[in-house]
Amino acid sequence: MNPRTVALAFRAVAVAEALSWVGLLAGMYVKYVPQTSEAGVQFFGPVHGAVFVAYLVVALAAARVLGWSRWTTLLALAASVPPLATVVFERWAGRTGRLRVPARA
């Protein structure tokens, strides 16, 4: 796998996971607070589930290809649980050089 491609895929999927969380949370609000529609949950539930799984797969691929430590890998996986934490992790990883492509690539 190309490290550059993996790093770019990780960044894209991290943002997509956060956006799908926002959509699901908005759908849950509409479903449970004003109790007007379930459409948001019916749409964003499966979308978020698919993007969540994609994030986990891409995070594991990034850990392997980019040489992340176990701690960084566990942090990336844990970031998939709280809303918007994948973007926070992605920014941190970029700032600290964990998404930098190795020189030999």
Side-chain angles (χ1 to χ4, degrees):
M1 274 190 230
N2 181 346
R4 184 176 314 279
T5 302
V6 172
L8 289 174
F10 179 80
R11 288 179 182 273
V13 174
V15 171
E17 200 274 344
L19 292 175
S20 71
W21 246 126
V22 170
L24 182 57
L25 290 172
M28 290 171 63
Y29 174 83
V30 171
K31 178 179 179 180
Y32 293 112
V33 177
Q35 298 180 348
T36 56
S37 174
E38 292 186 19
V41 173
Q42 290 173 344
F43 176 77
F44 282 106
V47 169
H48 176 66
V51 177
F52 174 82
V53 171
Y55 174 82
L56 295 177
V57 169
V58 173
L60 291 172
R64 184 177 153 268
V65 172
L66 300 175
W68 289 352
S69 68
R70 284 188 186 172
W71 171 247
T72 301
T73 304
L74 289 174
L75 199 56
L77 296 176
S80 67
V81 178
L84 308 178
T86 55
V87 171
V88 174
F89 176 83
E90 180 269 329
R91 294 209 173 201
W92 172 80
R95 196 173 53 250
T96 59
R98 286 168 174 83
L99 289 176
R100 191 171 300 133
V101 177
R104 64 180 185 276

